[in-house]
């Protein structure tokens, strides 16, 4: 009996490597990729990887090589297999992402605009304040360096500020999104897919980019961004830095013809502290700061803290994501 038990255990141990490798066999990888193409829909946290990010990395070519559609060398075939295996691992992480609901919060109306001088004072007390810290690809908030965000609005301007512990100087100051900076993404319409990316580094001038996400997954940064009317101030502190910004609504798509913002209207917001290649957000963040499924849905509230009971007239698609509150 003992010999039989030992033999059985030995046989099972021999099977373990096979069982571990089975999900990465060519057939299983092929089946999983085909399944993801139909199962992952717009609004799914993994959709960004499937339809926007990976296509820019020559995923189609690697897939065709993997499918033996092209005659390539064994080394090229193995490189394609490694790429597909990595993509499948990232897709599994996205499909298992527990935050299936978009964060939601209300942005208060400010009767007195804050002074943009780089010093976050009492005038920011009536804004919404966020202090949760989620590292990129980690669904659980982490303890560590402090990061506080402040947001408000009035009839002409969207206000944002942040106070952070961070490493200065950055390792790559010429590329603030890979060094140290505060990143702010403002998207007034998921339908248009056109939004502003605002970067506030502590060791160089701010950088303002208009991003267009088209059907091919490319991002286009137009050169016309000289005179934006954005007012900002950045101040270094003993532990890091802080910034303040006033962004005119007239810069945002849906507001560029001069129509004023109203209580009850919805914007989509992402805020990220880049701390020497570490990406930290008050919202759960999967894959990349540009992932629209992770943007928080923010409602502009009125002067009396009412958010206009009437439904918004904006044309944002109803993606299959439930409600939710700020984590």
């Amino acid at each position: 009996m003992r010999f039989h038990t030992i033999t059985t255990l030995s046989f099972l141990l021999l099977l373990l490597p096979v069982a571990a490798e089975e999900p990465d066999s060519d057939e299983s990888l092929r089946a999983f990729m085909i399944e993801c193409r139909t199962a992952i829909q717009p609004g799914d946290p993994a959709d960004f990887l499937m339809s926007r990010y990976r296509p820019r990395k020559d995923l189609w070519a690697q897939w065709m090589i993997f499918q033996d559609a092209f005659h390539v060398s064994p080394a090229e075939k193995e490189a394609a297999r490694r790429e597909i295996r990595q993509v499948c691992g990232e897709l599994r992480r996205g499909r298992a992402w527990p935050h299936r609901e978009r964060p939601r919060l209300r942005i208060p109306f400010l009767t007195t605009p804050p002074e943009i001088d780089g010093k976050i004072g009492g005038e920011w007390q009536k804004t919404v304040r966020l202090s949760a810290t989620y590292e990129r690809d980690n669904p659980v908030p982490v303890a560590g360096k402090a990061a506080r965000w402040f947001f408000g609005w009035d009839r002409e301007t969207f206000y944002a500020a942040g106070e952070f512990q961070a490493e200065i100087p950055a390792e790559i100051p010429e590329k603030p999104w890979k060094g140290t900076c505060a990143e702010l993404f403002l998207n007034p319409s998921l339908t248009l897919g056109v939004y502003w990316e605002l970067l506030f580094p502590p060791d160089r001038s701010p950088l303002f980019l208009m991003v267009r996400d088209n059907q091919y997954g490319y991002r286009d940064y137009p050169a016309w961004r000289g005179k934006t009317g954005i007012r900002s101030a950045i101040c270094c502190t003993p532990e890091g830095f802080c910034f303040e910004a006033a962004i005119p609504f007239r810069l945002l798509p849906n507001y560029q013809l001069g129509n004023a913002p109203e209580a009850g209207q919805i914007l989509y917001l992402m805020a990220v502290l880049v701390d020497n290649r570490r990406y930290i957000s008050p919202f759960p963040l999967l894959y990349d700061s540009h992932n629209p499924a992770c943007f928080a849905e923010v409602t502009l509230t009125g002067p009396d803290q009412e958010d206009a009971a009437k439904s918004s007239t904006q044309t944002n698609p109803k993606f299959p994501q439930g409600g939710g509150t700020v984590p």
Side-chain angles (χ1 to χ4, degrees):
M1 179 67 179
R2 182 180 179 185
F3 175 79
H4 179 268
T5 302
I6 293 175
T7 304
T8 303
L9 288 174
S10 300
F11 178 73
L12 291 175
L13 288 173
L14 288 173
L15 288 179
L16 283 178
V18 177
E21 293 175 3
E22 186 175 350
D24 287 339
S25 67
D26 285 5
E27 285 304 318
S28 63
L29 291 174
R30 186 177 292 109
F32 181 72
M33 287 288 289
I34 294 174
E35 176 192 349
C36 286
R37 291 301 299 176
T38 56
I40 297 176
Q41 299 296 317
D44 189 294
D47 178 57
F48 176 80
L49 182 77
M50 175 63 77
S51 64
R52 301 189 183 198
Y53 180 73
R54 274 295 175 181
R56 297 170 53 239
K57 306 291 184 180
D58 295 326
L59 177 62
W60 181 84
Q62 299 298 327
W63 174 249
M64 296 301 289
I65 292 174
F66 181 69
Q67 293 280 77
D68 294 322
F70 301 148
H71 294 289
V72 298
S73 67
E76 291 174 306
K77 176 65 179 293
E78 182 57 33
R81 181 180 290 109
R82 287 196 301 269
E83 183 73 13
I84 296 299
R85 186 181 297 120
Q86 180 181 348
V87 171
C88 286
E90 293 172 345
L91 284 171
R92 290 190 184 100
R93 179 158 45 87
R95 297 193 68 183
W97 188 249
H99 298 282
R100 314 305 294 183
E101 299 180 349
R102 186 184 301 280
R104 291 181 176 178
L105 66 152
R106 289 195 281 252
I107 304 293
F109 183 90
L110 303 180
T111 55
T112 303
E115 185 177 357
I116 307 301
D117 57 4
K119 301 175 183 179
I120 300 176
E123 67 269 28
W124 291 93
Q125 292 302 310
K126 294 185 178 181
T127 62
V128 64
R129 287 164 283 174
L130 308 176
S131 59
T133 51
Y134 288 85
E135 291 188 344
R136 182 177 60 178
D137 294 333
N138 187 347
V140 180
V142 297
K145 294 183 178 180
R148 295 194 302 161
W149 297 86
F150 307 81
F151 301 105
W153 73 288
D154 62 23
R155 299 299 182 191
E156 296 182 352
T157 308
F158 186 91
Y159 298 99
E163 190 173 34
F164 316 106
Q165 291 179 329
E167 296 180 19
I168 305 171
E171 295 178 355
I172 312 178
E174 69 276 9
K175 294 182 179 179
W177 57 90
K178 292 185 177 180
T180 294
C181 72
E183 277 189 303
L184 188 65
F185 300 80
L186 278 176
N187 184 352
S189 171
L190 294 177
T191 303
L192 292 177
V194 180
Y195 56 93
W196 279 92
E197 176 184 1
L198 314 172
L199 300 97
F200 302 95
D203 46 8
R204 55 161 290 175
S205 300
L207 182 63
F208 308 139
L209 306 170
M210 176 167 276
V211 183
R212 287 198 290 256
D213 253 334
N214 60 34
Q215 62 179 327
Y216 303 105
Y218 301 121
R219 298 184 190 125
D220 180 22
Y221 304 100
W224 56 271
R225 55 174 183 265
K227 298 180 180 180
T228 61
I230 298 174
R231 294 180 291 117
S232 64
I234 304 170
C235 179
C236 290
T237 64
E239 295 184 329
F241 72 103
C242 60
F243 86 96
E244 295 176 311
I247 303 108
F249 273 98
R250 59 177 171 77
L251 291 180
L252 303 179
N254 287 2
Y255 298 100
Q256 288 181 329
L257 294 180
N259 49 313
E262 298 178 1
Q265 291 182 340
I266 292 172
L267 305 176
Y268 294 88
L269 168 73
M270 175 52 68
V272 177
L273 166 64
V274 184
D275 182 14
N276 272 339
R277 293 175 177 263
R278 292 177 62 238
Y279 297 81
I280 303 169
S281 174
F283 314 118
L285 179 61
L286 177 67
Y287 297 138
D288 190 274
S289 305
H290 290 266
N291 190 344
C294 298
F295 282 33
E297 179 183 294
V298 301
T299 301
L300 304 178
T301 66
D304 298 325
Q305 300 300 309
E306 297 179 356
D307 55 359
K310 62 180 182 180
S311 59
S312 172
T313 57
Q314 291 171 269
T315 57
N316 289 308
K318 296 296 184 182
F319 288 151
Q321 288 183 309
T325 57
V326 178

